[in-house]
Amino acid sequence: MSRTPSFVLPIPEGRESSSQDLSPYDESIVHDSFHQLIQEQSQRAEAESLELQEWPPRDKGGGSQLHGAPQEYSSATLRILANMPSRTIGRSRGAIISQYYNQTVKLRRKNSRPLLRDMSRSARPSIRQYDLEFDLTPREEEEKRSLLVEELQGLTITQRNHMLQNMPLSLTEKRCLRQDIYIRRGRQRCYQISQTQLYCCSHLKYHCIIAFRSLWYGLLSGLYALKPWRYSLKQISGQFGSSVLSYFLFLKTLVSFNILLLLLLLPFIVAVQVAFPPTSESSNFQSFTGLELFTGGGPFTHTVMYYGYYSNFTLNQPCSSHQSSDHCPANAVHLPYNMPLAYLFTIGFSFFITCITLVYSMSRSFGKSYRVGSTLGVHAITVFCSWDYNVTQKWASRLQHDNIRTQLKELLAEWQLKQYPRSVCGRLRQMTVLFLVWLLSLASVLGCAIAVYSFSEFMHENHEIRTETISEKLQEARLLVLPLIVCIINLVVPYFYNVLAICEQHDSPVLEVYVAICRNLILKMVILGLLCYHWMGRKVKSLEDQCWETFVGQELYRFMVMDFIFTLVDTLFGELVWRLISEKLKRDRKPEFDVARNVLELIYGQTLTWLGVLFSPLLPVIQVLKLLFLFYIKKISLMANCQAPRKPWRASHMTTIFITLLCFPSFLGAAIFLSYAIWQVRPSRNCGPFRTLDTIYEAGKVWIRRLEEASPSVTWFTWIHQNLVENTFFIFLMSIVLLVAIYFNIQVVKGQRKVICLLKEHINNEGEDKIFLINKIHSIYEKKAVHQ
């Protein structure tokens, strides 16, 4: 059996005077194994005087004078400087390979020492106390490399991988060494079958891991590329700035919230009812005329879109259409699904998840927008750190260039507003104008509220007095009058507010947007409050013999459809006509994108969706489709009919303000409305899953009572429900705990702000201390130079 020839290299004997051999794992890190190389490099650096030169002392006149003589450092200083990371990068690759090979050869020459392949896994060759060979020729380096590959073949896979990982070589060189080892091992036939199988398994495992990792990174990059509207958002940000971009980001957030609602409503309510449809409603078929797309009535009334279609019994298989289990066969496989309980819990859980998501998004947005020191140095960061050097395509670089230019405009405009404050007389004049404008705006809100209330009462009285002369289509069309009046008010009054804003002449565009948002929000919330009172107060009493929940769902559907139609009309015709008029009056002057009005339209539509989830579970589907259409329509109109703001302003807190408005006035109001409907209002007697109950909330009590009767051992669960859920004291206690937690959180944030400010002052003082020490050192060097 042939034996691999051993190569002997000349090694100085003086190095082997030690009576006891060093362990192959004596050194802790690879950097210590180059001690002699570091010393030699440091001596060369000292001789050449390239890196270790003294600082030039300042002369008495304040200038600087260069001295040709290098500074004499002690050996300890030279050793420390030579061990610095910046001075140990780029060592000779040939010297590293040579030292590793010399160590392996020496260990193989020792008869008293076992072979490398028989050593423990934690062992690795040590290259301490050996001469380093510098400036190897390519031929010598290749020989050393081939010999090192042969020596590494004698190690186990774990030892070889461990040794390759600890070698101070580049990843490319290590990969080449590993490939050479695999090739040479594949050509040899002297290995046993088990070793060959182990090599194949390890090789296959290695390639599988690399393949799965590449696939994972590819999927991540693909998911990032599939982010909705990624290029469109960058394009809007580059051409119109962060103020207009905030509207589209908010629209994208609303799409996410509605998709979250659908993920809960579709599988647990809609899909189950579709799988087990009630047979009693199969005969109620009406012809489709097209008007139902606007009114939501007709054939849509008796579908899963509205509350009245859902059953009030436990769904089973295969006797889903029977309310009594006596008709079911004895051998039937029952899948009990309590539809009233599922309906109540799904709606409640969906609102709870939405609330948690809203609070989390709001807190995260607050953390990004209002963190301490977030605006310090933003000009320098934008100038020096904004460019992405990975961008290679021409359109991407142009888009990034426009984005950076717009950011600089916004920063400079914000800085100019701080430099020129108004005088005292100007502020008094502005306060007087603000008082008059706000008085007019509140008077308009009051007038609109009175008009909506009067018209709703008029429609309610005429709806009760039905005449036979009116056809069914005309009766359906009359239901669109109230949504039409409300949408006209929501369209015209914001333009009146814009005219009032011209009289105010705000210095800051951000303040102007905030004032417009506040006025539009007051208008829309007052109108929605009146409509909720109209539905819960008058319609519930007048429609006791009918399904009033379905009527409320249809009303909300009509309001959403009319709001979408008026938004399209305002976008496609209003902005286009305004642009044509502006171009005729002033050349190249397009209208600006009204961020406040458009954002309030989104909040208004989302509020209608949350109000109607209980009465129409498929209303989020309509909202998602509406938002998708709005994004593309608004983008096209923005690019064609609008221009960038004449006063650039940075929307650093706009997203936070939008989410806050969505949480407190919108979501909180919808939650109060639905809570009142669940706890206080009596459901309809002839439709819906709660037709036999006094309140919707009673479905949970009935389930707890039946659970206690069926399983007496779960009385603890009944006690929890009675004392923690039904007891108002526990809810009051939880509210107090929540307020206390919020208070402590605010105090902690304030304390963190103070600590951060103190730390910043401390950093500034440290910088001044360093300057003081540097001046002292310069003075010492000046004194030494004078004495010399």
Side-chain angles (χ1 to χ4, degrees), residues 207-270:
H207 284 288
C208 288
I209 292 174
I210 295 298
F212 279 114
R213 186 175 298 176
S214 301
L215 179 62
W216 174 249
Y217 289 152
L219 289 175
L220 289 179
S221 61
L223 290 175
Y224 180 75
L226 291 176
K227 290 178 66 176
W229 311 313
R230 185 169 63 97
Y231 173 74
S232 299
L233 293 176
K234 289 184 178 180
Q235 186 179 7
I236 294 170
S237 175
Q239 296 185 15
F240 297 91
S242 59
S243 58
V244 180
L245 177 66
S246 61
Y247 166 80
F248 291 92
L249 290 177
F250 185 64
L251 190 149
K252 181 181 175 183
T253 305
L254 292 183
V255 172
S256 303
F257 280 120
N258 287 280
I259 291 176
L260 180 62
L261 273 177
L262 290 177
L263 291 178
L264 295 172
L265 296 175
L266 289 180
F268 295 104
I269 297 180
V270 179

Side-chain angles (χ1 to χ4, degrees), residues 573-679:
F573 296 99
E575 294 180 357
L576 178 61
V577 172
W578 187 258
R579 179 196 121 188
L580 296 176
I581 294 174
S582 299
E583 288 180 351
K584 289 184 177 180
L585 295 178
K586 297 180 181 179
R587 296 182 179 179
D588 299 332
R589 300 299 296 179
K590 297 180 180 179
E592 297 183 8
F593 187 80
D594 195 346
V595 178
R597 181 171 54 85
N598 287 279
V599 167
L600 263 298
E601 288 178 358
L602 294 180
I603 295 177
Y604 174 75
Q606 188 61 38
T607 307
L608 292 176
T609 304
W610 281 331
L611 290 173
V613 166
L614 180 64
F615 311 107
S616 178
L618 288 182
L619 213 57
V621 178
I622 310 297
Q623 178 69 1
V624 170
L625 296 176
K626 171 186 170 183
L627 292 175
L628 292 177
F629 277 109
L630 273 182
F631 182 88
Y632 292 103
I633 292 172
K634 289 290 184 181
K635 179 195 170 184
I636 294 173
S637 177
L638 178 70
M639 297 297 178
N641 303 325
C642 299
Q643 66 173 3
R646 289 186 291 271
K647 293 181 179 180
W649 52 281
R650 190 166 61 97
S652 56
H653 309 311
M654 292 299 292
T655 304
T656 305
I657 299 298
F658 295 160
I659 295 179
T660 305
L661 295 178
L662 183 68
C663 181
F664 286 109
S666 177
F667 180 79
L668 184 61
I672 293 173
F673 173 77
L674 294 183
S675 299
Y676 177 78
I678 291 173
W679 263 276

Side-chain angles (χ1 to χ4, degrees), residues 380-440:
I381 293 173
T382 305
V383 172
F384 296 106
C385 304
S386 295
W387 188 261
D388 186 6
Y389 290 94
N390 293 327
V391 175
T392 56
Q393 298 179 355
K394 187 175 181 180
W395 62 269
S397 61
R398 188 185 302 110
L399 187 62
Q400 190 172 5
H401 177 270
D402 295 338
N403 197 351
I404 296 174
R405 180 184 60 188
T406 307
Q407 290 180 13
L408 291 175
K409 287 182 179 179
E410 293 172 355
L411 291 173
L412 292 176
E414 185 178 1
W415 177 77
Q416 288 178 356
L417 289 175
K418 297 179 180 179
Q419 298 297 320
Y420 303 101
R422 284 197 176 190
S423 61
V424 178
C425 296
R427 291 181 180 178
L428 291 175
R429 191 183 305 110
Q430 187 181 16
M431 292 295 294
T432 306
V433 174
L434 283 176
F435 176 76
L436 295 176
V437 169
W438 270 102
L439 190 62
L440 288 175

Side-chain angles (χ1 to χ4, degrees), residues 125-257:
S126 177
I127 60 174
R128 186 173 290 174
Q129 296 181 355
Y130 289 97
D131 292 333
L132 293 174
E133 301 180 16
F134 301 99
D135 301 331
L136 294 176
T137 61
R139 182 176 180 181
E140 293 176 352
E141 183 178 343
E142 188 64 29
E143 291 178 358
K144 297 291 184 181
R145 175 190 175 88
S146 61
L147 294 176
L148 178 60
V149 170
E150 292 180 0
E151 291 294 333
L152 289 174
Q153 289 178 3
L155 301 175
T156 61
I157 296 176
T158 306
Q159 291 175 349
R160 183 171 63 249
N161 292 335
H162 184 69
M163 185 175 181
L164 287 174
Q165 289 177 1
N166 292 322
M167 282 186 179
L169 296 173
S170 63
L171 292 176
T172 305
E173 186 64 27
K174 290 180 181 180
R175 191 179 294 111
C176 294
L177 285 173
R178 187 178 287 109
Q179 290 177 359
D180 293 342
I181 293 170
Y182 287 156
I183 292 174
R184 296 194 182 189
R185 284 178 64 91
R187 292 177 180 176
Q188 294 178 359
R189 299 180 180 180
C190 59
Y191 290 96
Q192 299 179 359
I193 299 176
S194 60
Q195 293 178 346
T196 305
Q197 292 177 352
L198 182 63
Y199 162 73
C200 294
C201 293
S202 62
H203 194 62
L204 180 61
K205 178 182 177 182
Y206 172 77
H207 284 288
C208 288
I209 292 174
I210 295 298
F212 279 114
R213 186 175 298 176
S214 301
L215 179 62
W216 174 249
Y217 289 152
L219 289 175
L220 289 179
S221 61
L223 290 175
Y224 180 75
L226 291 176
K227 290 178 66 176
W229 311 313
R230 185 169 63 97
Y231 173 74
S232 299
L233 293 176
K234 289 184 178 180
Q235 186 179 7
I236 294 170
S237 175
Q239 296 185 15
F240 297 91
S242 59
S243 58
V244 180
L245 177 66
S246 61
Y247 166 80
F248 291 92
L249 290 177
F250 185 64
L251 190 149
K252 181 181 175 183
T253 305
L254 292 183
V255 172
S256 303
F257 280 120

